[in-house]
Amino acid sequence: MSNVAFSAFVCLFFVCCSRAMPTALNQEAVNERPVIGILTQLVSDDVMKPFGRTYIPASYVKYIESGGSRVMPIRLTLTTAEYENIFKKINGLLFIGGAADLEASDYARVAKIFYRLALTANNAGDFFPIWGTCMGMQLLTVLVAGENLLANTTAENIAMPLNLTREAHSSRMFQGFPDELMKTLTQEPLTGNFHHYGVIVETFQENEKLQNFFSVLSTNVAENGAHFVSTIEGKRYPFYGVQWHPEVNRFQWDKKLNFPHSPHAIQLSSLLAEFFVNEGRRSLHQFDNPEEEASSLIYNYTPIYAGNFTGYEQLYFF
């Protein structure tokens, strides 16, 4: 090879490589070992009381794990100082569905502590996401509004498509969703609903605190004709809520219940789990040492089969 040809080869090589490899990464730090906290739910059914005071359906745990995170169960019997310490270690928080007083219960008390910690942290540039499912979304509206604005929006054991708003197509939650799935989401019953209460659209629009805090990404119509908010996203904060249950699409199978199991329903559940866990990856909170981390995770508990007395295949009790 002549010197001229060699020089041209070298030049071409470096031109190609300069295009293939960025000169600087210039990207924000990412936590590749996230831990999402799940706030335990109060046991209210008599058949469940012999097993523990609080519980987490295994479907929520599997949902978070499927997105690439580990799970820390958070009990309702700790002190404020202990919750503050936990907050410094986890990378996000999930409020699950269930039944509890959203203003006076221990569930509401503990949620309020974490909500205030998350507000303060995000205001200081310390990224921390929160997700609320069903009653968890209702709880987020109570925390933001400072009052309970729920009304009868019964949609019990019904799978429905979503009425997406204009904000949905520019949202963080649905960013990157395939166009086909976004279209299908408005046509096929991909979202399982199991609730009696929610926030009516008109109530949301008339409440300044909710309007300023959240964008409405979707709405639905209840059995009584009430038009309710079904998906929300924080405008300034990484807080998200769905009145429906994305975890059931892949992890609950009771034939008496209308759990969507179509390919599109599975895809929806998968993408949302990955979305929220990726939000958690942006949090750099961490445990003080590996031993403390290991002792805090859900792996230390064994779920029990509960299909004979609940709608869940498995439950963790605490």
Side-chain angles (χ1 to χ4, degrees):
M1 183 181 290
S2 68
N3 289 339
V4 174
F6 178 76
S7 298
F9 169 78
V10 171
C11 181
L12 180 60
F13 173 81
F14 280 109
V15 168
C16 291
C17 287
S18 67
R19 290 175 180 172
M21 296 181 294
T23 55
L25 292 175
N26 192 29
Q27 61 184 25
E28 62 183 23
V30 175
N31 176 5
E32 295 187 347
R33 296 180 58 84
V35 175
I36 300 297
I38 298 182
L39 195 60
T40 58
Q41 183 56 269
L42 294 162
V43 170
S44 57
D45 294 340
D46 290 338
V47 294
M48 294 167 58
K49 289 181 179 178
F51 298 95
R53 181 173 179 268
T54 61
Y55 72 99
I56 298 174
S59 54
Y60 289 101
V61 175
K62 294 174 183 178
Y63 176 74
I64 293 298
E65 289 179 340
S66 72
S69 177
R70 292 153 306 153
V71 167
M72 177 182 180
I74 301 176
R75 298 170 182 259
L76 304 180
T77 55
L78 307 181
T79 66
T80 298
E82 287 173 311
Y83 292 127
E84 291 172 347
N85 186 46
I86 290 172
F87 180 80
K88 298 174 184 177
K89 305 175 190 303
I90 60 175
N91 308 109
L93 186 63
L94 171 61
F95 296 151
I96 65 175
D101 188 311
L102 297 184
E103 294 176 291
S105 66
D106 286 337
Y107 181 73
R109 175 184 62 85
V110 176
K112 190 172 185 178
I113 292 172
F114 278 103
Y115 169 74
R116 288 177 172 174
L117 289 170
L119 285 179
T120 301
N122 282 294
N123 287 337
D126 177 14
F127 192 89
F128 189 91
I130 296 178
W131 181 284
T133 292
C134 197
M135 192 184 72
M137 171 180 153
Q138 298 167 11
L139 177 60
L140 280 174
T141 68
V142 172
L143 292 169
V144 170
E147 58 180 318
N148 189 332
L149 298 172
L150 302 179
N152 179 7
T153 61
T154 297
E156 180 59 42
N157 197 21
I158 300 174
M160 297 188 287
L162 296 179
N163 301 317
L164 296 178
T165 66
R166 284 180 297 180
E167 286 81 359
H169 297 277
S170 59
S171 67
R172 300 185 301 277
M173 185 186 296
F174 295 124
Q175 184 180 25
F177 270 44
D179 291 340
E180 179 189 0
L181 181 59
M182 288 295 285
K183 181 179 180 180
T184 304
L185 193 51
T186 67
Q187 299 173 340
E188 296 182 8
L190 304 184
T191 66
N193 290 260
F194 301 87
H195 61 89
H196 295 278
Y197 299 96
V199 176
I200 294 174
V201 172
E202 185 178 2
T203 301
F204 183 97
Q205 294 172 339
E206 293 174 350
N207 187 278
E208 187 175 352
K209 291 180 179 178
L210 291 179
Q211 277 272 53
N212 291 338
F213 197 97
F214 289 116
S215 295
V216 175
L217 306 188
S218 78
T219 64
N220 279 97
V221 178
E223 295 172 37
N224 64 356
H227 196 198
F228 67 91
V229 176
S230 53
T231 309
I232 55 177
E233 173 179 282
K235 293 180 177 179
R236 292 182 53 234
Y237 297 92
F239 299 170
Y240 307 92
V242 289
Q243 189 59 68
W244 38 283
H245 288 261
E247 78 286 350
V248 304
N249 295 14
R250 289 183 292 163
F251 302 113
Q252 290 184 229
W253 297 94
D254 191 324
K255 290 184 177 180
K256 299 187 298 294
L257 301 175
N258 286 313
F259 298 141
H261 295 308
S262 69
H264 283 130
I266 301 304
Q267 184 183 20
L268 172 64
S269 174
S270 179
L271 288 175
L272 288 178
E274 291 179 9
F275 164 74
F276 184 61
V277 169
N278 283 336
E279 290 285 272
R281 291 175 186 274
R282 298 175 62 186
S283 166
L284 300 183
H285 294 188
Q286 61 182 353
F287 287 83
D288 294 333
N289 56 70
E291 293 74 23
E292 179 191 29
E293 180 179 88
S295 66
S296 301
L297 300 178
I298 195 72
Y299 309 130
N300 293 282
Y301 303 89
T302 302
I304 71 165
Y305 172 69
N308 55 342
F309 59 88
T310 73
Y312 303 104
E313 280 74 17
Q314 292 178 310
L315 289 166
Y316 289 91
F317 286 95
F318 308 91

